């Protein structure tokens, strides 16, 4: 490596890294991040490697890195090399003439990424929404991650939102003691502010800027699956898609099927992938996919090869500007047209890995047995008939790669779904996730609480998994 490009003060969002890799045609990029996990000395820390297309390293690259790591015998360090991360521009170093010379380039953290956004959106329309006669007041929470400089520069300086619209914009090593996870459990400051009714639009970002959450006036929550589907249905509000067209959609398997309803009307294909953004990169590189997303508050398009929280927020502001409706009105109109997908995710965190493994092993044996395939479950006044079950596997339509055992699915005859999945974990703890989804076409039934609607499905999930009995838990750690 003869050249490093680093964000000013060591800060770059994940989508900005993807943007810069693609812009300068870099060999790859390294992101040091806690993502949406607790930070600081006692918190989480991860290394993400991006390949030359600006997307997450595929399994074949990660596996190769791991194999090489087992053969390393030594490494060299240069303790007296001092780089001023605050000073923009090139700094060159003579490292025994090995790289003639070694160059470090400090770039504006926001600049290259902002120029890309200018080519995608109608900034004048968004600026008028935020400053014009019928302006909407917004509240944006950077959750003390790296998004602070982006929020202030793009939403405040560039698009005219008042400076006090943005909160928690100073990046802190421990994120102020809160996990920078943009959901109703942790983005409580934003939720309380929105509930007051003063603001018409609210958003929060995770620590490295690839995840987001949307709230409407009075704290109206837009779940990530609905957000993805609503964005898909309103792509005509974005100049980029008017120019480029829409070739297909992608969603991770646990994400609700709300996107599928929109795709059917728009007559474009939907690709159902395992969880993990790397599976979308192949689809986008091959021209199959224009928009993709996951239920874990990540959404993006083929403008990059990463999920992009600020891009998603600008899409929402573009939709508000074009439709001249509130967030809640847009969501309810969408439900009226396409039906409502009631949806929840229940996380059982910090489980003993062996316990979690055996729960999933036994559950797979149960649901894939032939005797389970047409079973009926009666819960209160509800009867659920199993239509099919499987252990999800994905065949990449581009290169034919097969990825197996990506979650257990139970699909019922009324299109309701239960999904069980082990999330990526360390050697000392594991997370088991249960996803529940129920579809309701009748608009008169769209005002119910998701957990109330989904409680019969959850009762089935708890009965067949025995997760409470086998873990000693009384309930999930987090519900989203």
């Amino acid at each position: 490596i003869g050249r490093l490009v680093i964000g000013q003060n060591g800060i770059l969002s994940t989508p900005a890294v993807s943007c810069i890799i693609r812009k300068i045609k870099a060999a790859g990029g390294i992101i040091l991040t806690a993502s949406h996990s607790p930070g600081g000395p006692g918190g989480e820390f991860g290394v993400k490697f991006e390949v030359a297309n600006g997307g997450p390293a595929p399994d074949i690259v990660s596996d190769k890195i791991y194999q090489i790591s087992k053969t390393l015998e030594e490494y060299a360090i240069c303790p007296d090399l001092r780089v001023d991360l605050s000073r923009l521009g090139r700094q060159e170093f003579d490292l025994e003439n090995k790289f003639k010379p070694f160059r470090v380039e400090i770039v504006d953290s926001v600049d290259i990424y902002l120029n890309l956004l200018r080519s995608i959106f109608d900034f004048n329309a968004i600026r008028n929404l935020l400053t014009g006669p019928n302006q909407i007041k917004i509240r944006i929470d950077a959750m003390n991650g790296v998004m602070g400089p982006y929020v202030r520069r793009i939403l405040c300086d560039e698009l005219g939102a008042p400076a006090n619209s943005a909160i928690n914009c100073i990046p802190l090593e421990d994120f102020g003691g809160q996990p920078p996870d943009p959901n109703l459990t942790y983005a409580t400051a934003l939720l309380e502010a929105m509930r007051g009714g003063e603001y018409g639009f609210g958003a929060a970002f995770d620590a490295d800027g690839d995840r987001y959450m949307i709230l409407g006036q009075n704290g109206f929550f837009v779940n990530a699956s609905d957000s993805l589907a609503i964005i898909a249905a309103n792509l005509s509000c974005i100049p980029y898609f008017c120019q480029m067209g829409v070739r297909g959609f992608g969603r991770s398997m646990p994400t609700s099927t709300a996107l599928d309803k929109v795709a059917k009307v728009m007559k474009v294909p939907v690709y159902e992938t395992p969880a993990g953004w790397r599976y979308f990169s192949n689809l986008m590189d091959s021209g199959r996919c224009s928009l993709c997303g996951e239920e874990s508050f990540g959404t993006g398009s083929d403008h990059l090869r990463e999920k992009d929280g600020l891009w998603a927020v600008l899409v929402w502001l573009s939709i508000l500007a074009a439709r001249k409706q509130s967030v809640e009105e847009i969501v309810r109109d969408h439900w009226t047209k396409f039906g409502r997908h009631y949806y929840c995710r229940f996380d059982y965190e910090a489980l003993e890995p062996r316990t979690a493994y055996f729960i999933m092993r036994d559950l797979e044996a149960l649901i894939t047995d032939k005797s389970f395939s047409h079973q009926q479950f009666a819960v209160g006044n509800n009867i659920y008939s199993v239509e099919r079950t499987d252990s999800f596997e994905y065949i990449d339509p581009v290169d034919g790669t097969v990825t197996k055992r990506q979650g257990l699915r139970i699909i019922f005859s009324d299109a309701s779904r239960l999904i069980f999945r082990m999330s990526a974990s360390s050697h000392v703890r594991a997370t088991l996730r249960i996803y529940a989804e129920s579809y309701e076409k009748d608009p008169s039934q769209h005002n119910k609480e998701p957990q109330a609607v989904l409680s019969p499905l959850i009762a089935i999930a708890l009965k067949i998994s025995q997760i409470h009995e086998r873990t000693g838990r009384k309930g999930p750690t987090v519900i989203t």
Side-chain angles (χ1 to χ4, degrees), residues 186-201:
Y186 296 116
T188 51
L190 175 67
L191 181 60
E192 286 306 309
M194 295 302 298
R195 280 177 173 162
E198 179 183 355
Y199 301 96
F201 177 86

Side-chain angles (χ1 to χ4, degrees), residues 71-98:
T71 68
L72 297 178
E73 295 179 352
E74 62 180 9
Y75 63 90
I77 63 174
C78 189
D80 57 347
L81 191 151
R82 295 285 181 264
V83 178
D84 183 354
L85 295 178
S86 67
R87 179 165 61 87
L88 295 175
R90 294 177 178 176
Q91 300 170 51
E92 296 187 344
F93 304 89
D94 180 10
L95 301 187
E96 299 174 350
N97 292 319
K98 285 184 178 178

Side-chain angles (χ1 to χ4, degrees), residues 212 228 241 277 284 289-294 298-304 306-308 311-312:
Y212 71 105
L228 175 63
F241 293 103
W277 206 260
M284 290 189 285
C289 184
S290 301
L291 172 75
C292 46
E294 301 182 312
T299 304
S301 86
D302 58 356
H303 71 291
L304 292 177
E306 270 288 1
K307 46 188 176 281
D308 189 343
W311 171 91

Side-chain angles (χ1 to χ4, degrees), residues 40 149 159 166 224 227 274 287 305 310 425:
L159 295 171
S227 179
R305 294 298 179 267
L310 187 50
S425 62

Side-chain angles (χ1 to χ4, degrees), residues 242-263:
C242 295
Q243 297 161 10
M244 302 295 291
V246 179
R247 292 177 292 279
F249 299 139
R251 65 166 176 84
S252 65
M253 180 272 288
T255 303
S256 95
T257 54
L259 180 67
D260 302 44
K261 299 287 187 190
V262 177

Side-chain angles (χ1 to χ4, degrees), residues 47 145 181 206 239 403 435 439:
V47 180
D181 202 349
D206 75 339
T403 308
Y435 309 80
Y439 177 68

Side-chain angles (χ1 to χ4, degrees), residues 98-233:
K98 285 184 178 178
F99 293 109
K100 299 183 181 177
F102 179 67
R103 178 186 297 166
V104 179
E105 188 173 338
I106 308 301
V107 298
D108 186 308
S109 302
V110 184
D111 198 49
I112 297 173
Y113 174 71
L114 171 56
N115 284 331
L116 174 64
L117 295 181
R118 286 193 184 110
S119 72
I120 294 171
F121 296 101
D122 181 348
F123 270 24
N124 287 331
I126 300 174
R127 191 178 296 110
N128 188 58
L129 175 75
L130 301 180
T131 63
N134 299 311
Q135 66 185 253
I136 186 174
K137 290 189 72 174
I138 67 172
R139 187 78 162 175
I140 309 295
D141 190 346
M143 300 194 82
N144 296 120
V146 303
M147 288 305 290
Y150 295 84
V151 170
R152 291 206 178 281
R153 173 91 171 273
I154 297 172
L155 288 171
C156 299
D157 299 346
E158 183 83 12
L159 295 171
N164 62 6
S165 302
I167 60 173
N168 298 320
C169 284
I170 299 174
L172 300 174
E173 291 180 0
D174 66 349
F175 312 123
Q178 274 279 77
D181 202 349
N183 59 41
L184 296 177
T185 301
Y186 296 116
T188 51
L190 175 67
L191 181 60
E192 286 306 309
M194 295 302 298
R195 280 177 173 162
E198 179 183 355
Y199 301 96
F201 177 86
F205 301 105
D206 75 339
D208 58 356
D210 56 6
R211 300 171 194 259
Y212 71 105
M213 177 181 70
I214 301 296
L215 294 174
Q217 195 166 24
N218 303 315
F220 182 85
F221 172 63
V222 185
N223 79 46
S225 295
D226 277 348
S227 179
L228 175 63
I230 290 165
I231 288 173

